[in-house]
């Protein structure tokens, strides 16, 4: 979920995505969405997300967001939500740990985005406090055009 200029975006029927391309074969599934209408961000001209699911022994998901903006946004953050606390592995890699072992290794370009791990608490329907985490990748230098790519590799 991109966070543009520090604002979370609206949800609902008026804020939707459109399928631009969908294809599948024996080795990969590909989906491209136009997310422009999903965000009420002044100056956003286009936002597309491409997802490629590689059907390997240990599956891998590639996610790429590309945008065009009138002017330059103050900030751009790619946010991923998880119940498990992410762990920094190295510059360019974060681990989303599995239940008992393994997990998902998230790779990114450290020259383009910087990760920030945040812990959040909410009260569920039973009044119990639950912890969740956001893995925010903040753009180093947002421009009038940009792209952000992430790979999620099961390990």
């Amino acid at each position: 979920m991109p966070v543009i200029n520090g604002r979370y975006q609206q949800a609902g029927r008026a804020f939707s995505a459109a399928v631009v391309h969908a294809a599948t074969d024996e080795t990969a599934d590909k989906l491209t969405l136009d997310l422009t209408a999903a965000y009420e961000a002044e100056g956003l001209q286009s936002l597309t997300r491409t997802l490629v699911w590689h059907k390997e022994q240990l599956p891998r998901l590639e996610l790429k967001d590309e945008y065009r903006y009138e002017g330059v946004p103050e900030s751009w953050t790619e946010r991923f939500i998880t119940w498990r606390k992410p762990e920094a592995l190295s510059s360019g890699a974060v681990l989303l740990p599995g239940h008992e072992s393994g997990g998902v290794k998230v790779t990114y370009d450290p020259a383009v985005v910087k990760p920030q791990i945040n812990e959040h608490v909410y009260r569920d329907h039973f009044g119990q406090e639950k912890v969740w985490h956001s893995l925010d990748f903040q753009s180093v230098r947002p421009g009038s055009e940009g792209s952000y790519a992430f790979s999620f590799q099961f390990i």
Side-chain angles (χ1 to χ4, degrees):
M1 157 194 335
V3 180
I4 304 167
N5 292 337
R7 293 182 44 214
Y8 293 100
Q9 302 307 308
Q10 301 289 327
R13 195 174 299 245
F15 302 94
S16 62
V19 175
V20 174
H21 174 79
T24 185
D25 63 33
E26 294 165 6
T27 61
D29 297 331
K30 185 174 182 179
L31 177 66
T32 301
L33 301 169
D34 181 342
L35 299 175
T36 311
Y39 293 90
E40 190 177 54
E42 189 176 329
L44 182 64
Q45 295 176 325
S46 71
L47 173 60
T48 59
R49 171 168 289 168
T50 300
L51 301 154
V52 181
W53 179 255
H54 296 274
K55 303 173 188 177
E56 301 164 349
Q57 183 175 355
L58 290 175
R60 178 172 47 98
L61 176 69
E62 292 178 4
L63 180 149
K64 184 175 184 180
D65 282 348
E66 297 177 276
Y67 74 88
R68 248 186 12 259
Y69 206 88
E70 182 182 317
V72 177
E74 293 173 27
S75 64
W76 190 283
T77 302
E78 296 281 336
R79 171 168 279 183
F80 303 101
I81 305 297
T82 176
W83 293 113
R84 309 241 179 229
K85 184 175 183 177
E87 302 169 13
L89 293 176
S90 63
S91 179
V94 173
L95 175 67
L96 301 176
H99 179 62
E100 293 181 19
S101 65
V104 174
K105 181 180 180 182
V106 181
T107 55
Y108 60 92
D109 184 345
V112 177
V113 293
K114 299 292 181 205
Q116 181 178 350
I117 298 168
N118 299 298
E119 184 173 291
H120 307 269
V121 177
Y122 79 99
R123 222 174 265 288
D124 69 11
H125 295 293
F126 303 102
Q128 302 295 314
E129 287 192 351
K130 300 288 182 181
V131 175
W132 62 279
H133 303 275
S134 61
L135 177 55
D136 292 345
F137 289 95
Q138 299 171 347
S139 176
V140 173
R141 284 179 294 285
S144 59
E145 294 182 358
S147 67
Y148 304 102
F150 304 90
S151 179
F152 299 81
Q153 175 69 60
F154 283 89
I155 57 172

